Amino acid sequence: MKRAACLSALACVLSLTAAAPASPGTTARGGGHPHGTLLDSVPRTGVLKVCTTGDYRPFTHLDPAEGTYSGVDIKMAENLAKSLDAKTRYVATTWANVTKDVAAGRCDIAVGGVSITLPRARQVYFSEPTRQDGKTPVVRCADKEKFGAGTLKDIDKAGTTVIVNPGGTNEQFTRANIHQATIKLHPENTTIFQEIIEGRADVMMTDASETLYQSKIHPELCSLHPEQPFTFSEKSYALPRGDDPFREYVDQFVHLATHDGTYAAYEEEWMGRSGA
């Protein structure tokens, strides 16, 4: 009888546990996002808050005179917002703070050529990748022969000035691989390539996609081996950790756009070719 009573009590406890509502701050998918899912709140508010640096063409560019954004990922963000019955509201950020701003809830998504890295992945979710990329050099075309095959050994020599924008993966790569050449920091990514054109720097190592775009708009510049970059990386969109339904939706949005020609068309418009 005692055993039967114990079993009956255990059954009651299990029944109550199963029927108990989820604790506040958890989603039905177990994501743990404190305010429910953005998949519901963005259509409700009609606003998708988008963090972007505005200084990384072809993915994101802020026109200072007009105060408007353009670029491959800006078009994608607008399409994403439209699919959620919302409009974009852009939030200015920097490369040093882009994932921190997403993690702090200052925006719903970060776009604009954001590379997936493990340190960033500790702060945010990343969507399905939009493209494959990697670091490659861009130089003055007049100096192309000077750098031979464009290897790191060809670049990392005394007398060469390697320019880099601070706070992101470009600086990390440059500092890890350049030891003999001079490293010059330039805080304005929108004007950094003019420093090479005018001879105040010799090389910049950035993503192949950016070197292709810059060589398109500046015929004085040549991208070295963009089809064989030094590194492998993928670009993606940064999303709040814990919001699984929203991440799954953005994954599906990216998957469709990168397979139905939408994303490729935006790249073609900006770079004159798709992929790198």
Side-chain angles (χ1 to χ4, degrees):
M1 291 181 66
K2 288 183 179 180
R3 182 171 180 275
C6 288
L7 290 173
S8 178
L10 178 60
C12 288
V13 170
L14 292 174
S15 177
L16 289 171
T17 302
S23 58
T26 61
T27 66
R29 300 299 298 271
H33 198 262
H35 305 295
T37 174
L38 290 166
L39 189 57
D40 295 332
S41 63
V42 169
R44 185 166 60 247
T45 62
V47 174
L48 179 71
K49 294 182 293 182
V50 180
C51 276
T52 194
T53 62
D55 65 352
Y56 187 16
R57 291 180 288 189
F59 302 105
T60 175
H61 172 64
L62 172 62
D63 184 328
E66 300 293 330
T68 56
Y69 287 91
S70 60
V72 174
D73 284 343
I74 299 303
K75 293 288 288 185
M76 288 283 284
E78 290 170 355
N79 289 357
L80 175 63
K82 184 177 180 180
S83 76
L84 292 167
D85 302 317
K87 293 185 180 299
T88 52
R89 178 187 298 163
Y90 294 104
V91 179
T93 188
T94 64
W95 288 111
N97 294 322
V98 61
T99 51
K100 295 175 185 176
D101 285 342
V102 175
R106 298 187 183 96
C107 49
D108 306 322
I109 186 172
V111 310
V114 181
S115 296
I116 300 173
T117 69
L118 292 179
R120 286 173 173 171
R122 294 178 64 180
Q123 297 178 313
V124 296
Y125 281 164
F126 278 106
S127 72
E128 181 170 312
T130 54
R131 77 179 327 271
Q132 183 177 318
D133 222 323
K135 302 303 178 191
T136 202
V138 61
V139 303
R140 288 182 296 278
C141 293
D143 292 343
K144 190 173 179 181
E145 297 300 320
K146 172 183 174 181
F147 293 102
T151 66
L152 286 169
K153 186 177 179 180
D154 293 329
I155 294 167
D156 191 19
K157 295 179 179 179
T160 297
T161 298
V162 179
I163 196 165
V164 65
N165 55 315
T169 57
N170 287 344
E171 184 181 10
Q172 293 167 13
F173 177 81
T174 299
R175 292 199 180 279
N177 292 280
I178 298 301
H179 308 291
Q180 305 302 319
T182 299
I183 296 175
K184 178 181 179 180
L185 290 179
H186 187 79
E188 292 293 333
N189 204 36
T190 54
T191 59
I192 196 168
F193 295 94
Q194 199 64 32
E195 296 294 298
I196 302 174
I197 292 170
E198 296 179 7
R200 291 186 288 271
D202 302 305
V203 185
M204 181 177 178
M205 290 183 288
T206 184
D207 292 319
S209 51
E210 186 174 30
T211 67
L212 288 169
Y213 174 75
Q214 291 296 332
S215 62
K216 176 187 174 184
I217 64 172
H218 297 297
E220 309 96 323
L221 297 178
C222 283
S223 173
L224 305 184
H225 54 77
E227 281 79 19
Q228 294 180 310
F230 293 131
T231 62
F232 167 83
S233 67
E234 291 178 313
K235 297 203 177 299
S236 179
Y237 303 138
L239 309 165
R241 277 178 55 182
D243 194 340
D244 294 335
F246 186 60
R247 178 179 64 172
E248 291 169 3
Y249 183 85
V250 175
D251 278 346
Q252 290 300 310
F253 166 81
V254 171
H255 183 79
L256 292 172
T258 53
H259 286 77
D260 68 6
T262 299
Y263 186 85
Y266 295 150
E267 282 204 344
E268 179 71 20
E269 178 183 346
W270 277 81
M271 290 190 281
R273 55 175 290 172
S274 57

